[in-house]
Amino acid sequence: VLSAGPLPVVAAKSRESREFYETVERHRYSAEPCIREMAEFDKWNGQLVLEVGCGMGTDLRQFAANGARVVGIDLTAEGITMARNAFRLFGLKGDFVVADAEMLPFRSDVFDLVYSNGVIHHTPDTPATVREIHRVTRRYTVEILNFIGPESDIPAPDMGTNDQTMAWIMDTYSQMKGYAVPSVVTGKPISVGGSKGRKEATGRGVA
């Protein structure tokens, strides 16, 4: 578990000043230098990035400064207010929403990257948060696009995934191809071309 240690005294500095946010930023990355390497802030230029639990937006500013289009959500209005202040002071663009990570207010397959650091394990229903992150992220399917297909490798649900996950993969794959490709996955919902009995098939075979 990473710990940033005690925060330097910044109370005397106004939250309306760049100095306040610069002090927090220096402390964060000196205490946890691994964050920059892990997050790869400079690799998302032009991409759409969501941070879940953005707080005052320190990490999200790094993505924005490197050319990413960014959206931040936080459960607290105070965190969102501070993030907006910081972006304004640094001349950066970003959108911010007070929202619950377990019910993200975005449609499926919107973001190229969903980033979160030290947040989601504190949610009351962490699996629900993970499912929501998967729902709004299209990057995984984009990355494996050249390795899956009706004539090559057909993904199927397994531990940690379900018919809805397969539907998201199918939808993103179809968007990238420019036409509907329901046969790219198996185990999808019946409403989008799935097979009746597919969910129970393995258990029936064992019996």
Side-chain angles (χ1 to χ4, degrees):
V1 176
L2 295 175
S3 174
L7 188 66
V9 177
V10 293
K13 302 180 178 65
S14 169
R15 293 183 180 185
E16 295 295 325
S17 71
R18 283 182 55 134
E19 186 180 6
F20 173 86
Y21 297 99
E22 288 170 343
T23 300
V24 173
E25 180 180 329
R26 282 195 301 272
H27 172 71
R28 179 170 179 77
Y29 299 130
S30 62
E32 301 183 63
C34 58
I35 291 177
R36 291 188 183 277
E37 180 180 358
M38 177 271 295
E40 299 180 316
F41 296 123
D42 60 341
K43 291 191 175 181
W44 299 93
N45 179 34
Q47 304 297 300
L48 186 58
V49 175
L50 168 68
E51 181 174 4
V52 173
C54 66
M56 66 178 69
T58 304
D59 288 350
L60 200 60
R61 287 206 322 272
Q62 314 312 310
F63 285 110
N66 280 281
R69 296 173 293 131
V70 302
V71 178
I73 72 155
D74 201 87
L75 195 58
T76 68
E78 181 179 6
I80 292 299
T81 297
M82 293 178 70
R84 284 175 175 155
N85 283 341
F87 269 65
R88 175 179 55 81
L89 291 167
F90 285 83
L92 298 171
K93 293 182 179 180
D95 294 310
F96 302 93
V97 182
V98 176
D100 186 343
E102 295 174 12
M103 296 180 291
L104 294 175
F106 310 106
R107 68 174 178 81
S108 300
D109 303 316
V110 175
F111 298 96
D112 296 296
L113 172 69
V114 178
Y115 171 86
S116 189
N117 185 7
V119 173
I120 64 174
H121 61 289
H122 293 296
T123 61
D125 190 346
T126 299
T129 299
V130 172
R131 287 194 296 270
E132 279 292 272
I133 289 173
H134 285 171
R135 180 181 66 79
V136 301
T137 308
R138 61 188 173 205
R139 188 71 188 184
Y140 177 71
T141 304
V142 172
E143 291 290 346
I144 66 172
L145 190 70
N146 294 328
F147 303 100
I148 62 175
E151 307 299 329
S152 53
D153 194 357
I154 300 176
D158 206 326
M159 291 188 64
T161 60
N162 54 25
D163 58 350
Q164 184 60 72
T165 309
M166 296 302 105
W168 296 331
I169 293 174
M170 183 193 78
D171 182 61
T172 302
Y173 184 91
S174 297
Q175 288 183 39
M176 298 301 293
K177 291 295 184 180
Y179 53 89
V181 191
S183 56
V184 69
V185 297
T186 186
K188 53 190 172 289
I190 294 173
S191 60
V192 293
S195 301
K196 290 183 179 180
R198 167 61 179 77
K199 185 176 181 180
E200 300 84 3
T202 302
R204 288 174 177 168
V206 172

